[in-house]
Amino acid sequence: MTCIARGNPQPKVTWTFTSAAGQQPLERFAQQTIPLAAPHRYKSVLRLSKVWLNDSGIYQCNIDNGLEQDQVDFNLTINCVPDPPDVISYGGCYTVTLSILKPNGTGGLPIRKYSIMFNDSIEFVNASSSRDDVNYTIYHLTPLTQYNYSVKAFNDMAESLPYMNSTSAIGIPGQIIGHHVQLVECNEVQFNFTPGGSLADDYNITYFSTREPSKYRVVSGNSVTLDNLAEVQTTQLRLEPGMFVAVVIHTVLLLKH
């Protein structure tokens, strides 16, 4: 910022800076006043470097030669790249919802939109003028599969660095989306299943045959070994995930001596 002063006697030039927080010191910025070739003319320069958003405000060049005073104002607004947004993900039934939170640092400009990179595809959603968050839902996902995503914020100047994370969807509660039965040894069978919900859920398993009364146990995880089975050809396995609807699976077991 430059101001030209004319006066005799030589005027004294001082610079002041007032931000939104009040008057601020200027020690970290370079100031220089030099005479010009024209008589009684002087040039004063204030040079700002490595500026930040809080350097926005009014810079004032004040001139005083003891006989008269004058001043000129420079209204400076500094904008920059916004910070990355914060994102909270929620896994639903074959879906994931991303709750995108407006970044704390907006670069001095309104956030206009967000870009969402999910499973190698990109979408843009507009930012809300009335809320600090935007929700975006992705559908038709495979349960218990990890998906990487990244989200960027855009203001009128540029885009932010990406927020990157991973998330997964769940299946319908109470659904078994896959199972496999393996004969381990005589009268012992391992039953593996893929639940639609979380692997941390407890499952109630009931197994019975035509020759034995039903047996019951609680399973944590996604595998259970059934031993001491009678010599039968058909065993019915019923899984009940917690409080949800039971899922019935009929499995043929060929047990050997």
Side-chain angles (χ1 to χ4, degrees):
M1 286 170 276
T2 302
C3 66
I4 306 296
R6 182 178 63 181
N8 186 18
Q10 177 180 344
K12 178 183 179 182
V13 181
T14 58
W15 289 87
T16 60
F17 166 48
T18 304
S19 70
Q23 189 162 330
Q24 305 295 325
L26 286 172
E27 285 83 357
R28 66 188 182 91
F29 296 137
Q31 306 177 45
Q32 185 180 28
T33 301
I34 58 175
L36 298 177
H40 311 303
R41 287 180 178 266
Y42 304 89
K43 180 175 74 171
S44 183
V45 177
L46 175 66
R47 180 173 290 107
L48 282 60
S49 60
K50 298 181 180 179
V51 295
W52 302 94
L53 286 175
N54 55 10
D55 291 321
S56 297
I58 298 176
Y59 292 80
Q60 191 173 78
C61 177
N62 302 283
I63 302 168
D64 185 356
N65 72 346
L67 300 177
E68 192 172 354
Q69 297 177 346
D70 202 358
Q71 65 186 47
V72 61
D73 292 342
F74 298 84
N75 196 340
L76 179 65
T77 300
I78 298 173
N79 301 315
C80 66
V81 175
D83 293 338
D86 289 325
V87 181
I88 303 173
S89 66
Y90 304 93
C93 292
Y94 302 101
T95 66
V96 164
T97 297
L98 303 179
S99 181
I100 306 170
L101 307 179
K102 185 174 72 174
N104 293 326
T106 64
L109 296 168
I111 299 298
R112 299 298 186 186
K113 62 182 179 181
Y114 301 97
S115 68
I116 303 167
M117 177 73 76
F118 194 97
N119 199 24
D120 297 328
S121 65
I122 188 168
E123 297 286 343
F124 291 90
V125 294
N126 293 327
S128 173
S129 59
S130 58
R131 297 179 53 178
D132 287 340
D133 65 323
V134 172
N135 293 328
Y136 181 78
T137 301
I138 303 99
Y139 299 91
H140 311 301
L141 301 178
T142 302
L144 308 180
T145 299
Q146 287 294 115
Y147 294 92
N148 296 323
Y149 68 90
S150 64
V151 181
K152 296 180 182 179
F154 289 73
N155 61 16
D156 289 333
M157 179 179 177
E159 64 188 58
S160 72
L161 293 173
Y163 173 95
M164 296 185 291
N165 209 332
S166 61
T167 186
S168 62
I170 61 174
I172 299 173
Q175 183 185 40
I176 305 300
I177 61 178
H179 68 279
H180 174 68
V181 176
Q182 178 182 3
L183 181 63
V184 179
E185 56 183 53
C186 183
N187 295 345
E188 185 172 312
V189 169
Q190 186 177 62
F191 180 63
N192 303 295
F193 60 93
T194 304
S198 169
L199 291 178
D201 293 341
D202 286 339
Y203 287 78
N204 302 327
I205 183 169
T206 304
Y207 54 103
F208 53 91
S209 68
T210 56
R211 299 187 183 184
E212 286 190 339
S214 60
K215 299 178 181 180
Y216 170 85
R217 63 187 293 185
V218 176
V219 179
S220 295
N222 63 335
S223 178
V224 61
T225 299
L226 309 179
D227 54 12
N228 297 321
L229 295 177
E231 183 183 354
V232 296
Q233 286 189 322
T234 302
T235 297
Q236 185 186 73
L237 299 156
R238 186 178 67 189
L239 269 69
E240 299 179 64
M243 300 169 57
F244 301 112
V245 178
V247 175
V248 178
I249 299 175
H250 297 275
T251 305
V252 176
L253 307 177
L254 301 178
L255 304 183
K256 303 177 182 179
H257 286 294

